[in-house]
Amino acid sequence: MPENELQERIWTALADHPVAMVSLATPEGVKTRPMAGHVDREHHRLLYISHRHTGIIGAALRSPGVSVAISQEDRNFYAALSCAASEENDREWLRRIWTPVADAWFTGGNEDPDATILALTPLEAEIWDGPSSSVLVAFKLAAARLLGRTPSLGVNATVPMR
């Protein structure tokens, strides 16, 4: 599968599953949290509404590594994206990606001064893409065992995202 197809598969998975695990390297260790995001393909980024006071914005900007992990278990597709972080202060963008769920977290709605956007720009992704049929996986595992080989269960690749 050419890289552009793999890139498309990653962007599609991100759009189909807006909740991802976002991890930051901090002086206290790796911190991971689920976050609901918005895919902004035009500007090549993922946007996450966040509170300024929680510290994730500052931590992400200081972090030597920010990662987004996604999974499509029903398709046996997984990806971990290495990202560059920035803060998006544009209120129009905030209104554009605002959701009823976000409304529950901010008493001032999308005009709440504590509401901001964590923007993550994917730089590289590692993917694992295997057969989605559990019967096929079981067959490949059994065949490999009988033949004394390592099973071939799909693709593991590093994909540049720029």
Side-chain angles (χ1 to χ4, degrees):
M1 192 180 290
E3 283 180 1
N4 59 356
E5 289 179 39
L6 291 174
Q7 290 169 346
E8 183 61 35
R9 181 99 186 259
I10 293 164
W11 284 108
T12 299
L14 287 163
D16 289 348
H17 295 78
V19 177
M21 296 302 288
V22 178
S23 299
L24 310 171
T26 72
E28 296 81 32
V30 176
K31 303 293 182 186
T32 303
R33 68 183 74 196
M35 294 186 78
H38 171 82
V39 173
D40 177 15
R41 283 290 298 269
E42 183 180 345
H43 297 98
H44 189 78
R45 61 191 184 166
L46 308 169
L47 304 174
Y48 297 92
I49 298 170
S50 181
H51 289 271
R52 278 194 178 88
H53 79 271
T54 62
I56 189 170
I57 300 297
L61 297 177
R62 289 187 305 275
S63 179
V66 179
S67 177
V68 174
I70 58 171
S71 68
Q72 290 181 307
E73 292 179 29
D74 59 325
R75 295 188 176 132
N76 205 15
F77 180 79
Y78 307 87
L81 292 83
S82 298
C83 301
S86 63
E87 183 176 3
E88 175 62 69
N89 288 308
D90 185 331
R91 284 298 193 203
E92 181 53 40
W93 265 108
L94 192 61
R95 282 188 283 281
R96 190 181 309 176
I97 68 169
W98 199 260
T99 65
V101 172
D103 218 35
W105 293 99
F106 296 90
T107 57
N110 60 24
E111 296 300 324
D112 192 312
D114 194 40
T116 190
I117 298 172
L118 172 62
L120 300 180
T121 301
L123 305 172
E124 183 177 84
E126 183 173 9
I127 63 133
W128 296 264
D129 187 10
S132 58
S133 164
S134 58
V135 172
L136 181 57
V137 169
F139 173 77
K140 286 186 172 206
L141 288 170
R145 177 126 175 127
L146 286 171
L147 298 172
R149 298 182 183 156
T150 301
S152 175
L153 293 177
V155 174
N156 171 237
T158 300
V159 180
M161 292 299 290
R162 291 302 280 176

